[in-house]
Amino acid sequence: MDYKTIKHAKILAWIEECVKMCEPDSVYLCDGSTKEYDTLMKKCVDAGLATPLKKKENSFLFRSLPSDVARVEARTFISAKTEEAAGPTNHWIDPVELKATMKGLYKGCMHGRTMYIIPFCMGPLGSPIAKYGIELTDSEYVVLNMDIMTRAGEKVWQYLGTDGEFVPCLHSVGKPLNNGEKDNGIWPCADVEHKYITQFPEERLIWSYGSGYGGNALLGKKCFALRIASVIARDEGWLAEHMLILKLTNPKGEVKYVTGAFPSACGKTNLAMLIPTIPGWKVETIGDDIAWMKFGDDGRLYAINPEAGFFGVAPGTSAESNKNALISAEKNTIYTNCALTEDGDVWWEGIGYPAKGNLVDWKGQPRPAFPKDKAPKGEEMAHPNARFTAPAKQCPCIAPEWEDPKGVPISAILFGGRRPSTVPLVHQARNWNHGVFLGSIVGSEITAASTINAAEVGKIRRDPFAILPFCGYNMGDYFAHWVSIGKTAEKNGKADKLPKIFYVNWFRKDENNADLPGGFMWPGYGDNSRVLAWIFDRCDGVDNCVDTPIGFMPKEGAINTDGLADYYKKTLPEITKVDKEGWLKEVKDIRENHYPKFGKHLPKELSDCLDDLEARLSK
Ligand code: O2Y
Ligand code: MN
């Protein structure tokens, strides 16, 4: 479609400015139709960038370059007017300087390519919580993924009208083609030092250059729905969070909605799609990665999933860890950096079965399959960050109300990380501010596998609210915003309507107990429903807890252990008690290494919680 037909003057003016700067060969306005999707996919197949999968209906495999396989945090910038506004946990470059640098890169960057205009909506169309964006990109892969991950195309214009608010998102792979040059089946991107993933928070503007991959390029996801949305949420009094949203139904048919923030590699998508092991309980999915929460008229926080698809990590996804994710990705799915099997299917490490026959690995090299389903580190058949992009509506456990424009009322918020010691299976915050404190100390223990620096092993890598790489402003101010949400509820006499806050830890370890698979003291996966059931009852004020120095914890017998293996029944008392010594070390680490980073931006409410915790532990 001709973009000159766009009736929104501000959008049209911005597009014209970008066309002038990027100098594409042609400009195409996306309508979001199936025909358009099929045509662009064929273009990718013909160009040697995508392979159709014989074993999966309407599904395709892409291979990126080894230099473009994940989000690049070191090249991600919060370009606020001052470094203080970006805060101590973000990379910052002055916006005037960065704009000049990036304009230099953007100049002529789309030679030989088409500029695609993608109008998109984050959230159910017409929802009062939803927001709109326009992404300009020279990548067909981005258009195809945005089609799955967002509500994109013609349908958006009726909501944008002639002057509706939008977030401008400019993206280029940073690989202009000269004089008939072609990609020749090679994933286009720029060298790492020329990659820039930039958010300009004051202007609510996103500029991304040099990467075609995932969160760097699908700008509706991390850049908009978290970094920019967190700034909008701060200014408008709501929450844009790196959280899953699940629906929990008890055997009586009563329903509660729960959100949860977990750092990467903690099984967030698995939890969002969990199949309970306790009879009569049901988990359904609303979202697996991002939640936007706003106060409803009744004083409760209502959440929507701003996305329409899953951009899930493939390795480790199996029928045992997440059958629902596998089914979601059975058709109409884009795979990136997975291995290709002889019979035209995808394969990855941890898929749950050894590959049959020879494979083509994620770098495009033919290789004989391993006899087992694991490869030595560095020799993986699928890249460890290989992905599937699947429509959320294909998930067998998607909740019928997942697109309810008014959102779902949240009863509980979970925080968690990988903590092999100290942090118990579950504990509940005493009140809202204590919950904010728990969110602020989220982190995972650094293991030999997760670092190249041996000196770091055993330390806690803090990832407050699991939003560290995605917060668009000063993290200390972000904590203060969470405190202010509690204050608003209190001022409105609705503090009792706020969600209850919990800290969970599925990852306690006892390496000396040979009975425990992997040394883990808790089975995780579907058995996490036992903890969710306790949380459900906590939200109803059931008398199932004891008051401890760290918060409310399960009473003896309050966690359902029916059908649990005997060795887990034996470890349960250990992981549901307070490790006073461990917590005192935790307090010291927070006081000395974590909270000082935020200086005067750290809210007093949180340092008070830390003092209070120390005092209770020392009694
Ligand atoms: O590496 C990427 O580009 C994707 S990162 C990602 C994708 C889906 C959901 N969450 C994440 C994340 O890093 O939190
Ligand atoms: Mn995420």
Side-chain angles (χ1 to χ4, degrees):
M1 263 174 53
D2 182 1
Y3 76 94
K4 302 243 160 82
T5 58
I6 292 173
K7 305 238 165 23
H8 191 299
K10 208 168 153 195
I11 291 177
L12 188 58
W14 170 68
I15 293 171
E16 291 197 313
E17 204 185 294
C18 293
V19 169
K20 203 165 151 208
M21 178 164 71
C22 301
E23 300 170 4
D25 280 13
S26 56
V27 183
Y28 176 85
L29 175 58
C30 298
D31 61 19
S33 65
T34 307
K35 186 168 164 234
E36 177 182 279
Y37 184 93
D38 295 345
T39 307
L40 289 180
M41 190 60 90
K42 186 172 180 309
K43 191 171 172 188
C44 292
V45 172
D46 292 347
L49 292 164
T51 307
L53 295 169
K54 288 194 206 103
K55 290 281 177 172
K56 291 199 161 50
E57 187 189 325
N58 194 31
S59 298
F60 299 83
L61 172 67
F62 285 75
R63 289 188 198 104
S64 75
L65 274 193
S67 60
D68 201 28
V69 290
R71 290 185 294 102
V72 278
E73 282 177 26
R75 307 297 307 165
T76 300
F77 300 95
I78 300 299
S79 189
K81 283 188 184 136
T82 66
E83 190 165 5
E84 192 173 356
T89 59
N90 282 312
H91 298 284
W92 177 84
I93 300 178
D94 175 81
V96 175
E97 180 192 331
L98 188 48
K99 277 201 171 165
T101 306
M102 289 189 75
K103 276 183 182 172
L105 292 167
Y106 278 131
K107 187 72 199 153
C109 70
M110 295 190 186
H111 281 182
R113 299 192 186 276
T114 300
M115 176 192 273
Y116 297 94
I117 303 166
I118 316 168
F120 66 95
C121 173
M122 299 308 293
L125 284 164
S127 161
I129 312 178
K131 302 251 171 227
Y132 298 86
I134 307 284
E135 177 160 354
L136 306 183
T137 179
D138 53 4
S139 160
E140 288 81 17
Y141 173 84
V142 166
V143 180
L144 294 164
N145 276 270
M146 285 290 285
D147 255 334
I148 298 175
M149 294 303 296
T150 71
R151 284 92 178 164
E154 210 166 60
K155 52 190 176 277
V156 168
W157 291 112
Q158 76 181 93
Y159 301 97
L160 269 172
T162 53
D163 59 357
E165 238 181 62
F166 71 103
V167 170
C169 310
L170 175 60
H171 170 254
S172 171
V173 294
K175 184 91 177 58
L177 297 165
N178 298 314
N179 307 325
E181 189 191 347
K182 296 259 182 291
D183 284 323
N184 281 329
I186 297 169
W187 174 272
C189 63
D191 296 338
V192 69
E193 67 272 24
H194 292 129
K195 292 189 207 282
Y196 289 91
I197 320 303
T198 306
Q199 287 66 209
F200 299 98
E202 288 99 354
E203 289 177 73
R204 280 104 164 93
L205 170 69
I206 301 165
W207 279 8
S208 167
Y209 182 90
S211 167
Y213 194 87
N216 303 329
L218 314 179
L219 302 186
K221 192 172 179 60
K222 305 297 187 181
C223 300
F224 181 165
L226 288 173
R227 297 194 191 100
I228 292 296
S230 63
V231 174
I232 301 175
R234 174 199 63 192
D235 295 348
E236 294 180 354
W238 51 280
L239 296 167
E241 299 302 323
H242 189 211
M243 289 182 180
L244 62 85
I245 313 168
L246 64 81
K247 174 186 180 185
L248 188 57
T249 307
N250 73 1
K252 289 188 212 155
E254 293 159 341
V255 168
K256 293 197 196 303
Y257 299 95
V258 177
T259 60
F262 297 82
S264 57
C266 288
K268 198 166 136 202
T269 300
N270 300 347
L271 182 63
M273 299 177 192
L274 170 149
I275 302 172
T277 52
I278 44 175
W281 287 80
K282 188 154 110 183
V283 167
E284 290 162 278
T285 310
I286 307 279
D288 79 325
D289 196 37
I290 301 175
W292 286 355
M293 291 183 273
K294 259 189 191 171
F295 282 116
D297 294 339
D298 57 1
R300 300 188 73 184
L301 279 175
Y302 284 76
I304 61 160
N305 171 9
E307 301 189 280
F310 307 127
F311 189 63
V313 185
T317 307
S318 67
E320 198 194 340
S321 69
N322 197 340
K323 191 174 169 190
N324 288 321
L326 284 185
I327 300 171
S328 309
E330 258 311 303
K331 57 184 180 188
N332 308 317
T333 292
I334 297 172
Y335 290 90
T336 308
N337 290 342
C338 300
L340 178 67
T341 65
E342 266 177 14
D343 60 353
D345 206 346
V346 277
W347 189 89
W348 51 76
E349 282 73 18
I351 199 168
Y353 51 85
K356 291 191 283 290
N358 295 328
L359 295 169
V360 179
D361 73 9
W362 71 275
K363 291 181 184 159
Q365 296 303 315
R367 286 172 55 186
F370 296 113
K372 297 227 177 77
D373 100 335
K374 275 265 172 290
K377 200 170 159 38
E379 290 174 36
E380 292 89 353
M381 294 287 185
H383 186 275
N385 193 37
R387 298 274 164 174
F388 55 84
T389 318
K393 62 176 183 237
Q394 289 182 184
C395 180
C397 62
I398 199 81
E401 65 275 45
W402 79 283
E403 298 192 278
D404 188 336
K406 69 176 190 311
V408 293
I410 301 302
S411 297
I413 296 174
L414 315 184
F415 295 115
R418 271 183 185 262
R419 298 296 306 267
S421 65
T422 310
V423 178
L425 180 63
V426 58
H427 67 295
Q428 183 190 351
R430 299 179 180 288
N431 52 44
W432 183 260
N433 282 349
H434 183 216
V436 177
F437 167 76
L438 293 181
S440 78
I441 65 167
V442 164
S444 288
E445 189 171 299
I446 302 175
T447 60
S450 68
T451 183
I452 45 163
N453 180 358
E456 279 191 329
V457 174
K459 291 189 179 157
I460 309 301
R461 181 178 288 140
R462 302 277 169 197
D463 183 355
F465 293 77
I467 206 169
L468 196 69
F470 309 120
C471 185
Y473 60 102
N474 189 305
M475 184 64 81
D477 296 344
Y478 168 90
F479 297 160
H481 177 55
W482 266 79
V483 170
S484 82
I485 290 284
K487 285 191 182 137
T488 303
E490 213 158 285
K491 194 180 76 207
N492 295 337
K494 304 273 190 193
D496 60 325
K497 300 278 191 265
L498 284 168
K500 308 282 181 281
I501 302 181
F502 300 82
Y503 198 115
V504 296
N505 178 21
W506 319 130
F507 299 99
R508 281 290 288 271
K509 279 192 127 179
D510 179 358
E511 307 282 6
N512 299 321
N513 186 338
D515 286 337
L516 301 171
F520 288 105
M521 299 168 83
W522 179 249
Y525 301 111
D527 285 308
N528 292 338
S529 56
R530 300 171 190 278
V531 176
L532 294 180
W534 181 78
I535 289 170
F536 187 106
D537 289 344
R538 272 290 58 227
C539 293
D540 283 340
V542 172
D543 176 19
N544 61 358
C545 73
V546 284
D547 193 349
T548 80
I550 62 169
F552 303 120
M553 291 176 72
K555 247 186 190 173
E556 201 182 328
I559 299 272
N560 181 341
T561 57
D562 293 349
L564 196 64
D566 277 347
Y567 45 84
Y568 292 125
K569 284 185 185 160
K570 280 194 208 140
T571 51
L572 191 59
E574 182 61 25
I575 61 175
T576 49
K577 74 175 197 210
V578 180
D579 170 4
K580 274 199 183 183
E581 214 180 292
W583 273 100
L584 282 167
K585 277 196 207 144
E586 184 82 6
V587 167
K588 188 166 182 287
D589 183 54
I590 297 164
R591 209 183 276 296
E592 290 176 3
N593 303 316
H594 182 43
Y595 274 1
K597 291 193 284 261
F598 307 106
K600 66 179 186 349
H601 291 265
L602 182 79
K604 185 172 180 307
E605 287 83 352
L606 297 196
S607 46
D608 286 351
C609 278
L610 186 62
D611 294 344
D612 187 50
L613 173 61
E614 187 168 29
R616 284 171 193 271
L617 288 164
S618 308
K619 256 189 213 155

